[in-house]
Amino acid sequence: MKCNLLTLCLSAALLTPIAPALGSTDNKADMVLDQVLVLSRHNLRTPIVNTGILTEVTDKKWPEWDAKSGYLTTKGGALEVYMGHYFREWIDQNKLLTDELCPTSNEDVYIYTNSLQRTIATAQFFAAGAFPGCKVSIHHQPEIGKMDPVFNPIITNGSPEFKEKALAAMGAYLNGLSLKAGYEELDNILNIKDSQKCKTDKLCNLDNQKNSFIIEADKEPGVSGPLKIANSAVDAIDLQYYEGFPANDVAWGLVDSPEKWQKLNTLKNAYQETLFTPKVIAKNVAHPILNYIDKGFVSVGKGETAKFIFLVGHDSNIASLMSAMDFKPYQLPQQYEHTPIGGKLVFQRWTDKRANKGFMKVEYVYQTADQLRENAYLSMKTPPKHVTLELKGCPIDKNGYCSWKDFQKVMTTALEQ
């Protein structure tokens, strides 16, 4: 069996078939798709950190990018156009919107993003793929570059009690992880023992350094130390691969097996999850976006809001929201990031016409690592990957559907602080 770089090779006997489209079910004729809400991470961007500390922990030169730090790349735009094209085919197949080329109003489609370049641009490219030639408004705060409160994963509880609980939760989460192999792999790739940091600050390996967590009101949860350095370095390396840099330029040609990619991304996933998924933190930082979703999707009747709602934010939004809502653990085949670039939580509200009951189905739709690198075209025939998710408070049937009433209860519980 041939394996592409960054692709897990699994025995065919262990692979479960992946359906070609979202929301497929045995009793399709009885199921009607009423409404969809998508929470998307922006697509491919340049590294947020590509200078400073990264130049100090290696004696090697990092590849240069042709866009500003943290900006959506041209390729990221193309990837999102393809994703939009796939979603439009799925929308049409399930007759969510009227059979017209363009949405007729905000009652059909509503797109709302964080007010950063990469999130706004992601939404623009998605709309170009899903609704080509149509005038579709992209809603966001007027000041570009300033975080929208709905998407800003900051701590809003400034009490000493909350801080104590949050810091303890972060420490406990990180202590439960085994990151030694990942740190050692990154040390070797960076050749950190010959770096400036090793010479001046005695930072010659990452595994035995101490992390210090940061919880402050009106700021994102933070950490200083090796976990932050590792996250920035692995993020830059992942993005090199996705962008299509020559193999010898991706981590200087030193990440040459799925096992190495897996080790490296244990560090990146650990950073994201330690900061944003401990329950006490997640319910606090995800509250604004949960509240927005509840008011615009969950607690309203069918027909009172847009049929297709598309939100564009960040991995921190998805990670904290999933923890606050109590999603069960999941795996994304052929991806190493737990909240990958361009990945989407797709909340689908269905009605069983025969039983006259409402249902919810949630899927993670994402491009694999190699689909990202290869700029793979997406359609119903060549779809992105998708994984059906389950909430602890909303048990699913064999087709992935849970009761709409149970889902409403999940949201009520998630919003409690």
Side-chain angles (χ1 to χ4, degrees):
M1 183 183 297
K2 182 180 179 181
C3 287
N4 292 326
L5 194 61
L6 256 183
T7 301
L8 284 175
C9 291
L10 298 176
S11 167
L14 297 178
L15 286 173
T16 55
I18 296 178
L22 291 159
S24 59
T25 180
D26 294 340
N27 60 334
K28 188 70 173 176
D30 295 330
M31 299 296 287
V32 176
L33 182 61
D34 296 313
Q35 192 179 16
V36 174
L37 183 142
V38 178
L39 175 58
S40 176
R41 185 185 177 192
H42 57 77
N43 217 297
L44 183 57
R45 57 160 170 76
T46 58
I48 294 175
V49 177
N50 202 33
T51 55
I53 186 63
L54 290 193
T55 64
E56 298 174 8
V57 292
T58 181
D59 59 342
K60 305 171 185 178
K61 180 176 173 59
W62 290 88
E64 295 184 1
W65 292 75
D66 61 0
K68 291 183 179 180
S69 174
Y71 272 42
L72 195 79
T73 68
T74 301
K75 183 177 180 180
L79 289 163
E80 197 63 27
V81 168
Y82 293 157
M83 188 68 90
H85 178 264
Y86 167 75
F87 266 84
R88 178 57 184 270
E89 287 191 345
W90 176 71
I91 286 169
D92 288 347
Q93 183 188 69
N94 288 282
K95 298 179 172 55
L96 179 65
L97 304 178
T98 55
D99 188 19
E100 297 180 10
L101 176 63
C102 295
T104 57
S105 69
N106 284 339
E107 294 177 358
D108 283 337
V109 174
Y110 191 83
I111 300 178
Y112 176 40
T113 87
N114 192 20
S115 45
L116 301 184
Q117 184 271 354
R118 60 184 176 273
T119 50
I120 297 170
T122 293
Q124 290 170 334
F125 282 111
F126 180 91
F131 313 108
C134 303
K135 185 177 180 180
V136 179
S137 298
I138 310 298
H139 302 273
H140 57 82
Q141 296 286 320
E143 186 177 349
I144 298 177
K146 182 179 180 180
M147 293 288 285
D148 184 316
V150 169
F151 297 96
N152 198 4
I154 58 173
I155 298 295
T156 58
N157 187 333
S159 71
E161 295 80 11
F162 177 87
K163 182 175 182 177
E164 182 180 358
K165 289 180 181 179
L167 290 173
M170 294 164 85
Y173 189 92
L174 187 60
N175 288 337
L177 302 177
S178 178
L179 302 180
K180 183 178 179 64
Y183 279 133
E184 289 179 349
E185 190 65 48
L186 185 58
D187 285 347
N188 291 333
I189 291 168
L190 296 174
N191 192 31
I192 194 170
K193 61 182 178 59
D194 291 331
S195 70
Q196 178 183 337
K197 272 290 183 183
C198 181
K199 296 172 183 175
T200 59
D201 297 340
K202 306 301 180 184
L203 180 60
C204 304
N205 59 69
L206 295 171
D207 182 49
N208 63 3
Q209 305 296 316
K210 184 180 179 181
N211 289 292
S212 297
F213 297 110
I214 304 164
I215 291 290
E216 294 182 19
D218 301 322
K219 293 183 179 180
E220 290 189 20
V223 63
S224 62
L227 189 61
K228 182 176 182 179
I229 296 171
N231 176 68
S232 297
V234 176
D235 180 63
I237 291 168
D238 281 349
L239 296 173
Q240 293 166 9
Y241 184 84
Y242 298 156
E243 183 68 14
F245 279 43
N248 287 338
D249 289 341
V250 178
W252 306 282
L254 297 176
V255 187
D256 53 8
S257 71
E259 292 75 21
K260 290 184 179 180
W261 283 110
Q262 190 170 26
K263 288 178 183 177
L264 289 178
N265 277 278
T266 59
L267 303 172
K268 187 174 181 181
N269 292 329
Y271 174 88
Q272 186 68 232
E273 291 161 8
T274 300
L275 267 58
F276 294 102
T277 68
K279 193 70 65 182
V280 63
I281 297 172
K283 294 192 72 168
N284 183 263
V285 301
H287 192 268
I289 199 163
L290 280 167
N291 191 52
Y292 181 89
I293 291 172
D294 182 67
K295 289 183 176 179
F297 179 62
V298 179
S299 62
V300 297
K302 289 180 286 186
E304 295 180 17
T305 185
K307 292 182 178 179
F308 184 79
I309 302 170
F310 189 71
L311 309 177
V312 187
H314 307 272
D315 48 2
S316 54
N317 297 136
I318 293 175
S320 58
L321 178 141
M322 293 187 75
S323 174
M325 293 181 69
D326 252 348
F327 276 91
K328 290 185 177 182
Y330 64 95
Q331 296 293 326
L332 302 182
Q334 300 176 0
Q335 251 294 351
Y336 291 105
E337 292 187 87
H338 290 172
T339 51
I341 283 285
K344 294 162 173 55
L345 281 183
V346 184
F347 296 87
Q348 308 159 37
R349 185 174 181 176
W350 294 81
T351 297
D352 185 329
K353 292 187 296 181
R354 181 176 298 179
N356 193 29
K357 291 183 178 179
F359 292 91
M360 166 58 58
K361 186 172 187 177
V362 188
E363 294 180 295
Y364 211 128
V365 179
Y366 63 99
Q367 290 144 310
T368 70
D370 287 322
Q371 282 179 322
L372 291 168
R373 181 167 176 81
E374 294 164 9
N375 204 16
Y377 179 74
L378 302 177
S379 69
M380 294 293 283
K381 293 182 179 179
T382 56
K385 297 294 184 185
H386 65 94
V387 170
T388 300
L389 303 173
E390 183 172 10
L391 292 150
K392 291 180 180 178
C394 201
I396 60 176
D397 62 19
K398 65 179 182 179
N399 297 309
Y401 295 87
C402 75
S403 161
W404 175 255
K405 290 183 178 179
D406 284 344
F407 182 74
Q408 288 178 302
K409 293 176 183 177
V410 166
M411 288 296 292
T412 299
T413 302
L415 285 164
E416 293 173 350
Q417 292 203 71

